[in-house]
Every structure is written in structure tokens, then in C-alpha cells.
Amino acid sequence: MEVGGSASIRTEGGGNGAVGLYVRDAGSILRVAGAANVVTLGDFSQGALARLGGVLNLGVVDITTSGQDADGIVTWDAGSSILITGNATVATNGDDSAGVLSTTGGSISLASAEITTSGLNADGIAATDAGSSVTVSGNASVATNGDSSAGVQASNQGAINLTTADVTTSGLDSDGIAATDAGSTVNITGDAGVTTNGDSSAGVQASNQGAINLAAVDVTTNGVDSDGIAASDAGSTVTVSGGASVATTGNDASGAASSNGGVIDFQNALDIAT
């Protein structure tokens, strides 16, 4: 299916499972060359979903979802892919509703992104499972407002590759940038700015053998027990090849903290204020 001009899609009436843009099965392709505006209101109603090998290609897209388990942009399954060549603006309002999520081997590639999530357990950008990846070639602006909502998170061998990023989280237990589990990676090749405002919300955290590689980073945390940059568990690594500036304002919030065999490698200038 191909739409040459602009498209506006709205699923209403509280219909659950009413996906805005949906493509499934190998060989299936959905293209929108012009701007796409997508609004979904029901639970389990993703904004854009590719699964079972389906391919979704978009230009500029603006997506808003309001239900629970209503991710903004999501791929499931190996061979499934979403390519967005223009800016992607994504807002999710329900619990368990990530802004951008790749899982079980899917891939997502964005030119640039502005992502906001408001619910609980609603990560901004997430990749989970082997072969799953999210790539943003331009700037990624991410803000999460609910508890347990990381800004950028790779887990269970997922991979996230960003160029530049501005990340803000406001809830409890909401790390700014996180990589968890062996084989999980977050790579940012340009400048990264990270602010966390909730308690137990590290700015940058690698755990359980996750790996984070940053070029230059500016981190501020404002909550209790919210380390600036942390690596915990043997095999977990955070590497910063350029300059790093870290400020923490809360109690029990270290600037840089390595524990239980974790490794943090600052390869250039480091400025810490606690």
C-alpha cells in the first residue's frame, strides 16, 4: 500500500487494538510519502506497528496515543522494519506505552525524533532482545514523566545507536540512559545531555554486563540515590571518549560510581560536582 500525499489517521471510540499504521507479514509494505498524522485512543492501539517481517516507510510523522500498552512506534519480530526519513514526533499518554520500541529482532531507523511519554513504565526509546535495534541519525529529544520510565534503554541484547541526544526523565526509578544485560548496547557518537529529576534515577547506568559508549556527555541528576554515571556488575561498562561533566544535587548521589566489577572509563576531561 502506498500513499503519495499527506495522511491523517484517527482511531476513536475507545476501540482497543486499533493500530494507526499497521503492516504485517514478509513482503508486506506500507508507504506514506507525505506527512502522516496519527492519533489512537484505545488500549493496545499502537501508533505505527510493523511485525512478522512487514515494512513501514514514512516521511514526516506525528503520533499521539492515549491508551495503555499503546506504544508510539514499534516493531516486533526479525525482518520487521520501520524507516522514517523525516522528523518523528511521538507522544504517548498511557501506562506501559513506550515512545519508540523495537523488540524480538525488529529494527527502527529515524532521521530525527522528539519523544514524550507520560505513563508509568513508558520508556522513551527502547530496544530489547537479540537483533532488535533503534537508530536515530539526527538529534533525539526524549522526555519521560512517569515512574519506571527510562529515557533510553537497551536490554536483553538490544542495540540503540544515536548521534546526538537530549534526555530528561522526571519519575522515580527512571534512568536517563541505561543498558542492561550482556550484549545490550547504547552508542551515542555526538553530544549527549542527560537530566534526571526523580529518586533512584541515574543519569547513565550500565548493569548486568550492559555497555554504554558516549562521545561527550553532560549529566545532571536531582534525586536521592541518583548517581550521575554508574556501572554495576562484572562486564558492565561505560566509556566516555570525549569530555564529561557531571552534577548531582540529591543525597546519596555519587558523581561516578563503579561497583561489583563494573568499569567506567573516562578517556578525556572530567568535571564532577556533587
Side-chain angles (χ1 to χ4, degrees):
M1 178 180 180
E2 182 166 356
V3 179
S6 299
S8 181
I9 297 172
R10 185 179 179 94
T11 63
E12 297 185 346
N16 296 330
V19 179
L21 293 166
Y22 180 37
V23 58
R24 56 167 290 171
D25 303 323
S28 300
I29 301 173
L30 197 164
R31 296 190 186 96
V32 181
N37 183 65
V38 179
V39 177
T40 72
L41 302 180
D43 295 341
F44 307 102
S45 299
Q46 296 85 4
L49 168 62
R51 61 186 296 249
L52 295 171
V55 174
L56 178 58
N57 293 331
L58 304 173
V60 175
V61 64
D62 190 324
I63 292 174
T64 302
T65 72
S66 295
Q68 184 171 343
D69 289 292
D71 304 314
I73 297 171
V74 57
T75 54
W76 302 341
D77 313 313
S80 303
S81 67
I82 294 178
L83 171 64
I84 300 178
T85 59
N87 187 63
T89 302
V90 180
T92 70
N93 297 299
D95 295 343
D96 302 303
S97 300
V100 174
L101 170 65
S102 179
T103 186
T104 59
S107 67
I108 298 172
S109 181
L110 310 176
S112 59
E114 299 173 27
I115 299 163
T116 304
T117 73
S118 297
L120 304 177
N121 193 35
D123 296 338
I125 297 175
T128 183
D129 305 319
S132 301
S133 66
V134 177
T135 299
V136 184
S137 58
N139 188 63
S141 176
V142 180
T144 71
N145 297 300
D147 294 344
S148 301
S149 300
V152 175
Q153 178 159 257
S155 61
N156 198 33
Q157 302 183 58
I160 297 175
N161 298 295
L162 307 179
T163 303
T164 60
D166 297 303
V167 179
T168 302
T169 71
S170 296
L172 304 176
D173 297 305
S174 298
D175 296 335
I177 297 171
T180 305
D181 310 316
S184 301
T185 60
V186 176
N187 300 307
I188 303 179
T189 58
D191 292 343
V194 181
T195 301
T196 70
N197 296 308
D199 295 343
S200 301
S201 300
V204 176
Q205 176 152 275
S207 61
N208 197 32
Q209 302 182 56
I212 299 174
N213 300 298
L214 306 174
V217 64
D218 188 334
V219 176
T220 300
T221 71
N222 296 309
V224 174
D225 192 30
S226 298
D227 296 332
I229 297 178
S232 60
D233 311 315
S236 301
T237 62
V238 177
T239 303
V240 184
S241 60
S245 176
V246 181
T248 69
T249 64
N251 294 332
D252 301 312
S254 299
S258 176
S259 63
N260 199 33
V263 175
I264 302 174
D265 184 6
F266 293 105
Q267 299 179 346
N268 212 307
L270 171 62
D271 182 10
I272 291 180
T274 63

